[in-house]
Amino acid sequence: MQFVYVLRSLKDKNFYVGRTEDLKQRFTEHNSGKVSSTKDRRPLKLVYCEISVNVRDAAHREIYLKTACGKRYLKSRLKHDLEDI
């Protein structure tokens, strides 16, 4: 199983989109500073996740969510959840 996930930095309020097979472990790695792309943006909050059984489908979804259209989708989808952050 593949997880496509979105983290939001509580420091700079920006998104980080990633993909993993072990979401719990990867989230721990992000918040402990072991991931170079997010270590200066901690703390991070998991705000969105999708599950796919196919690696290629998950990879395509990850790429989409990193585009301008994907970011608009996320902001629209998470409109009320992001008000609390």
Side-chain angles (χ1 to χ4, degrees):
M1 233 188 296
Q2 291 283 309
F3 296 89
V4 177
Y5 62 94
V6 179
L7 305 177
R8 186 152 192 216
S9 168
L10 299 179
K11 183 176 182 181
D12 65 15
K13 307 295 187 218
N14 290 319
F15 292 122
Y16 173 86
V17 178
R19 178 174 44 97
T20 186
E21 288 185 356
D22 187 340
L23 184 58
K24 185 176 179 180
Q25 176 185 344
R26 190 64 174 154
F27 182 68
T28 301
E29 290 170 354
H30 279 290
N31 268 318
S32 64
K34 294 181 180 176
V35 181
S36 60
S37 56
T38 58
K39 71 178 181 179
D40 295 330
R41 299 170 59 195
R42 296 176 292 154
L44 300 156
K45 180 178 179 180
L46 179 66
V47 293
Y48 187 76
C49 177
E50 294 181 0
I51 302 169
S52 179
V53 294
N54 186 288
V55 175
R56 287 178 23 189
D57 289 341
H60 284 256
R61 189 64 174 166
E62 176 189 14
I63 291 167
Y64 170 74
L65 292 176
K66 290 179 177 181
T67 66
C69 290
K71 290 176 185 177
R72 279 194 300 271
Y73 166 80
L74 286 171
K75 287 180 182 178
S76 172
R77 175 79 170 84
L78 304 172
K79 183 177 182 177
H80 299 290
D81 291 331
L82 298 179
E83 292 172 353
D84 298 333
I85 298 175

